[in-house]
Amino acid sequence: VVKVVDVPRPTAVIASLAGGAKARAFIASEDGTVGLYSVGGLATTEPAAPEEIARIAEVQVGRNPVCLAYQKYSRDTIMALSRGDREIAWVRYTDKDAEVIRRLRDARLLDPVHLESADTHGINATVITVADFKGRRILNYRIGDVVFATQGGARFGCGPDGKEPFECGGVLEFPGAPFCISATNVN
């Protein structure tokens, strides 16, 4: 038996990292919705049951979401990059629902097409990296406190006063149009 899932104009897809009965898949559509799907037995050792593969919720993230990415250190949150609205939305999900809990919109984002939550070394920090196609650059954002874990534990928030929701950590100009990135600090 083949299960057909009808998704109008899909633009991006991702699956939860953990398997088991609570595993989920996400499919974004050009209209800005992200559907949350149960995947039946596909993420277990049990037989897959087509009738258990179903759209269980949807959330509106922004026009033309072109990239869905994992939020590091989270088991219940993904990020959706909307090219049409030039915005990043954080989507928190449960077994039965999904909601946008945070948004990042910045005038420096001209044509964002790819997003990654970067690894760091020697510090605890939440950094995301965005490929900006028509802007011909790559941007880094810090979206939470940085803690210098290997140097005494000093903690610094975002922005000059340490209370901003995000901080642009730098812009790297490119001679071409970046469309995909992998950003990890491995020193």
Side-chain angles (χ1 to χ4, degrees), residues 29-117:
S29 296
E30 191 175 45
D31 67 358
T33 59
V34 174
L36 171 65
Y37 293 83
S38 61
V39 295
L42 293 175
T44 70
T45 57
E46 301 299 317
E51 64 275 3
E52 293 177 2
I53 300 170
R55 187 175 186 128
I56 55 176
E58 72 176 44
V59 63
Q60 189 72 32
V61 295
R63 294 175 301 128
N64 195 18
V66 294
C67 182
L68 299 175
Y70 302 109
Q71 172 61 59
K72 294 254 194 251
Y73 315 115
S74 176
R75 292 179 171 255
D76 66 355
T77 305
I78 63 167
M79 298 175 293
L81 177 65
S82 297
R83 191 176 190 183
D85 288 334
R86 300 185 337 256
E87 169 179 278
I88 301 163
W90 280 259
V91 176
R92 180 171 293 147
Y93 60 94
T94 65
D95 294 348
K96 299 175 184 158
D97 201 11
E99 68 176 325
V100 173
I101 59 167
R102 182 179 191 183
R103 294 183 187 270
L104 184 156
R105 184 174 273 189
D106 184 23
R108 287 174 279 244
L109 293 174
L110 302 179
D111 185 26
V113 295
H114 194 259
L115 165 70
E116 180 183 78
S117 187

Side-chain angles (χ1 to χ4, degrees), residues 100-171:
V100 173
I101 59 167
R102 182 179 191 183
R103 294 183 187 270
L104 184 156
R105 184 174 273 189
D106 184 23
R108 287 174 279 244
L109 293 174
L110 302 179
D111 185 26
V113 295
H114 194 259
L115 165 70
E116 180 183 78
S117 187
D119 287 328
T120 57
H121 175 73
I123 60 171
N124 295 333
T126 308
V127 176
I128 58 174
T129 305
V130 180
D132 191 326
F133 188 77
K134 288 182 183 171
R136 302 170 70 109
R137 56 188 164 188
I138 293 175
L139 300 95
N140 272 334
Y141 292 94
R142 187 163 59 96
I143 57 170
D145 289 354
V146 63
V147 179
F148 287 90
T150 59
Q151 290 112 18
R155 177 181 296 268
F156 301 94
C158 294
D161 63 356
K163 298 179 188 313
E164 298 297 321
F166 70 88
E167 177 178 78
C168 184
V171 177

